[in-house]
Structure formats: C-alpha cells, structure tokens
Amino acid sequence: MQQVDITKTLEELEGEYWDEPNFASSLVIQVHQLRKKSLCELNNEDLRLLIGQQINLDLILPLAIEKLIQNPLESGDMHIGDLFCSVLKVEKEYWNEHKELKNELDEVIRTYEEAKNIVEEQISKYRSDYL
C-alpha cells in the first residue's frame, strides 16, 4: 500500500480545490470543510461521513481500517460501531479492486466475530448464573 503524508489535506493530496458549496445543506458544507482538514486530524465521525459519501476511498478507507483493527466498535456520532458499518457498506467493486485492503477488513471482521462470540458466551453464563 502506498505511503501517504497524513499531515496533508484531501485537497492537497488530490491537487483539487473545490469552490464554495453551491448547495447549502449541512452535509455538503461538512464535506467541503473536511477536504480542508489534514488526514491526521480526521476523527471517527469525519471518516464515517467521508466514507458514506464515497469521498476518496483510497485515502480514507486505510485510515478507518487502521482504527478498526484496534477496535472494531470505533464510533462516530451515530451509534457504537457506525464507522465499521460505513466501511462494510462500501461497494463490492471497490473491494474487488483493492484486495490488500479487503484482506485487512476481513481481519477486522474476524476480530469482531471472535470478540462477539466470547462476550455472548459470558452473557449467557451470567444470565444462567444470576438471573
């Protein structure tokens, strides 16, 4: 995978600077603002929003997956695990063209499933012992 200078913005990395938005929705305004934010400053909600809008997935998805490797339930502002959910909604064609990144996502899925099974087992034991 290519090395990216995460101190730069999407605008700088793409060499494409958008004009002021001509549609005044909060989503459009947010996306325009996020393009001016350095990649290292993007938080979970920023990543979730950009992925949902399919904004430069080649730069944004590796950042999100890096966070998800640490904790698959990383969250933006919607609900627990919403960052993971946004990544899982990316089109099949993208994953077919980015096998290495897909392998990393598959590892996140395995980690999540293993943790989920362990927690569910403990919940069942707790319920049978204490309820």
Side-chain angles (χ1 to χ4, degrees):
M1 213 170 296
Q2 69 178 3
Q3 287 297 103
V4 174
D5 183 353
I6 61 171
T7 64
K8 293 189 175 189
T9 68
L10 284 173
E11 288 187 335
E12 292 169 327
L13 292 166
E14 293 173 352
E16 186 178 319
Y17 298 84
W18 291 3
D19 293 330
E20 289 300 313
N22 56 6
F23 185 71
S25 80
S26 61
L27 179 60
V28 170
I29 292 167
Q30 277 184 291
V31 168
H32 275 72
Q33 290 170 345
L34 292 176
R35 290 184 47 78
K36 298 177 184 323
K37 199 172 183 180
S38 65
L39 296 184
C40 63
E41 293 177 348
L42 296 173
N43 63 32
N44 292 345
E45 178 62 12
D46 299 338
L47 295 171
R48 184 193 68 76
L49 194 142
L50 290 168
I51 292 166
Q53 296 303 304
Q54 306 290 298
I55 303 292
N56 201 326
L57 295 178
D58 291 343
L59 292 173
I60 300 302
L61 276 174
L63 298 173
I65 289 177
E66 186 177 314
K67 289 178 177 271
L68 294 173
I69 286 170
Q70 300 299 315
N71 177 5
L73 296 179
E74 285 286 350
S75 302
D77 293 347
M78 300 292 288
H79 55 79
I80 294 171
D82 61 2
L83 180 57
F84 195 8
C85 290
S86 70
V87 170
L88 292 170
K89 291 177 186 173
V90 170
E91 301 279 329
K92 178 181 178 180
E93 293 77 21
Y94 183 87
W95 299 118
N96 288 339
E97 295 172 11
H98 298 85
K99 299 284 187 202
E100 187 177 330
L101 202 53
K102 181 188 178 302
N103 290 339
E104 290 183 38
L105 175 58
D106 290 343
E107 186 58 34
V108 171
I109 292 168
R110 276 189 292 282
T111 300
Y112 168 78
E113 289 175 332
E114 287 172 11
K116 177 180 161 265
N117 291 337
I118 291 168
V119 170
E120 284 178 352
E121 185 179 304
Q122 293 303 310
I123 289 171
S124 292
K125 183 174 177 1
Y126 166 81
R127 286 183 173 151
S128 67
D129 289 349
Y130 299 105
L131 299 179

